[in-house]
Amino acid sequence: MSLNRIYFDILKEINNNQISINILVEKYKLTSRALRYYIYNINYYLKKYSIPQIYIKNGKLYFNIDENALIDFIDKIPISEYLLSQEERKKYILFNFLFKDNTNIAKLENFLNVSRTTIKNDINDLKKYLNNFDLYFYLEINKIILGGNEKKLRHLKFLYMMQYMNIHINKINYIKVLYPSEKLELSILKDYINKIDIDKINQVISEVEKKFKYNFSNKFKNIMYAYLIATLERIQNHHLIDKKIMLIF
C-alpha cells in the first residue's frame, strides 16, 4: 500500500473542513468509489501513527487535527511508501542530472523501483522540455550527461535552486518542504551546495557591495547566491562559456 501526492492534497483540503465527497470527486476527477478507496488508504496510515481518522457522514468528509500534527504525519511517511507521479519522477530525474555526478539509468531504476523502459520514457519526455533551454542528453564513456548551451544550463540550475534557497544574514536557509518528492530534490540540492565554498561567494558579494557602496537586499542576494553557486561549480568542473557559441566544452 502506497500514498501519493493526491492523498496528501486531499488530506490537507479536508482538514478542519466539512467537504462533500461530490466536490472532491469533481475536483480530482475521481469516481466516488475511487475516492472512498483513497480515504481507506489514508486512514490506514493515520491509524498506524495513532492519529484520528477521517470519517464520512451524510456524504461529507470530516477530519480535524492541528496543522503541525498534519505536517508531522506527512513527514513520517517513508519514501519507500510514497509513489511518485510521472511529473514528480521526471523532476527527480532532472535534479539528478543537474546536481549530481555519475547519474545513470541503473541507479535511477533501482532507487525509483521502476522499469528501465519507464526511465527511458521519462528521459525522452525531459528532452522536449530541455529543448527550450538548448540542452540535451548525450553519451560519454557509457554515461548519460546533460549538455548543450552552457549559459542556459547554469540558468536552469539557478531556477531550481531558487525554489528551495533563502538567504538570511549571509547564510543559506532552505525552504521547508512538505511532500516526499520535494524532500528528495532538496536532499540532492543540499549535497550539491555543500561542495561549494560559500565563504568565497560571501566575499565576492561583499566586495561588490563595497564597490557600489550599497547593501543589497536579501532578495537580491538570493539571486546572486544561486547564480554564483551554479557559475562557480561549472568553472570548477572546467565548463566555460564561449562568448561566440556558448556551448559546453
Side-chain angles (χ1 to χ4, degrees), residues 4 23 31 49-50 63 79 81 122 140 147 153 192 201 222:
N4 59 38
I23 290 175
T31 64
Y49 294 105
S50 302
F63 179 66
I79 190 61
E81 297 181 38
D122 288 341
E140 183 179 280
L153 177 56
Y192 171 80
I201 291 177
N222 211 40

Side-chain angles (χ1 to χ4, degrees), residues 112-147:
L112 294 171
N113 195 27
V114 295
S115 69
R116 179 157 298 207
T117 299
T118 297
I119 298 295
K120 287 182 176 180
N121 288 339
D122 288 341
I123 289 176
N124 283 332
D125 282 348
L126 284 171
K127 288 178 181 177
K128 302 170 188 175
Y129 169 70
L130 292 171
N131 280 340
N132 298 319
F133 297 87
D134 296 327
L135 300 174
Y136 52 81
F137 294 111
Y138 66 95
L139 279 174
E140 183 179 280
I141 316 176
N142 297 321
K143 290 192 301 183
I144 298 178
I145 297 175
L146 180 59

Side-chain angles (χ1 to χ4, degrees), residues 55-96:
Y55 70 92
I56 303 173
K57 183 178 180 181
N58 298 328
K60 290 185 178 181
L61 298 171
Y62 294 83
F63 179 66
N64 298 282
I65 65 172
D66 179 80
E67 188 69 23
N68 290 329
L70 176 59
I71 293 172
D72 185 57
F73 164 69
I74 296 175
D75 193 52
K76 288 177 179 177
I77 303 299
I79 190 61
S80 59
E81 297 181 38
Y82 182 80
L83 183 63
L84 273 69
S85 68
Q86 183 183 27
E87 290 307 310
E88 287 175 320
R89 194 174 61 239
K90 287 193 294 186
K91 192 177 177 186
Y92 172 77
I93 292 171
L94 182 56
F95 258 68
N96 272 267

Side-chain angles (χ1 to χ4, degrees), residues 19-27 30 32 35 59:
I19 297 182
S20 165
I21 288 177
N22 292 334
I23 290 175
L24 294 178
V25 163
E26 184 176 349
K27 180 174 181 177
L30 299 168
S32 177
L35 179 60

Side-chain angles (χ1 to χ4, degrees), residues 48-243:
K48 180 178 179 180
Y49 294 105
S50 302
I51 297 172
Q53 299 173 50
I54 302 165
Y55 70 92
I56 303 173
K57 183 178 180 181
N58 298 328
K60 290 185 178 181
L61 298 171
Y62 294 83
F63 179 66
N64 298 282
I65 65 172
D66 179 80
E67 188 69 23
N68 290 329
L70 176 59
I71 293 172
D72 185 57
F73 164 69
I74 296 175
D75 193 52
K76 288 177 179 177
I77 303 299
I79 190 61
S80 59
E81 297 181 38
Y82 182 80
L83 183 63
L84 273 69
S85 68
Q86 183 183 27
E87 290 307 310
E88 287 175 320
R89 194 174 61 239
K90 287 193 294 186
K91 192 177 177 186
Y92 172 77
I93 292 171
L94 182 56
F95 258 68
N96 272 267
F97 283 107
L98 281 172
F99 300 114
K100 288 181 73 173
D101 297 325
N102 301 317
T103 296
N104 59 54
I105 290 179
K107 290 179 181 178
L108 294 170
E109 180 185 357
N110 292 332
F111 182 82
L112 294 171
N113 195 27
V114 295
S115 69
R116 179 157 298 207
T117 299
T118 297
I119 298 295
K120 287 182 176 180
N121 288 339
D122 288 341
I123 289 176
N124 283 332
D125 282 348
L126 284 171
K127 288 178 181 177
K128 302 170 188 175
Y129 169 70
L130 292 171
N131 280 340
N132 298 319
F133 297 87
D134 296 327
L135 300 174
Y136 52 81
F137 294 111
Y138 66 95
L139 279 174
E140 183 179 280
I141 316 176
N142 297 321
K143 290 192 301 183
I144 298 178
I145 297 175
L146 180 59
N149 187 305
E150 174 65 19
K151 184 177 180 181
K152 292 186 178 180
L153 177 56
R154 295 182 191 185
H155 181 65
L156 189 58
K157 286 173 178 276
F158 161 82
L159 290 177
Y160 283 115
M161 277 191 279
M162 288 293 289
Q163 293 181 11
Y164 291 108
M165 283 174 49
N166 194 3
I167 304 303
H168 182 65
I169 315 179
N170 295 333
K171 290 185 178 179
I172 295 177
N173 294 317
Y174 294 100
I175 295 170
K176 186 171 178 59
V177 296
L178 183 64
Y179 299 104
S181 58
E182 295 172 328
K183 292 173 186 175
L184 288 175
E185 295 162 9
L186 182 56
S187 176
I188 292 172
L189 188 58
K190 284 182 177 180
D191 288 342
Y192 171 80
I193 292 176
N194 284 340
K195 297 175 184 177
I196 302 298
D197 186 350
I198 300 301
D199 288 337
K200 183 179 291 186
I201 291 177
N202 280 326
Q203 183 179 350
V204 169
I205 294 175
S206 178
E207 288 175 358
V208 173
E209 285 182 316
K210 288 178 182 177
K211 183 174 182 180
F212 286 95
K213 298 179 181 179
Y214 185 81
N215 292 323
F216 298 130
S217 67
N218 282 333
K219 185 176 181 180
F220 185 66
K221 283 184 179 180
N222 211 40
I223 294 172
M224 293 182 72
Y225 266 83
Y227 179 78
L228 289 172
I229 287 170
T231 300
L232 185 58
E233 175 265 319
R234 296 301 290 171
I235 291 173
Q236 287 176 345
N237 288 299
H238 312 293
H239 297 294
L240 305 176
I241 295 178
D242 184 295
K243 292 183 179 180

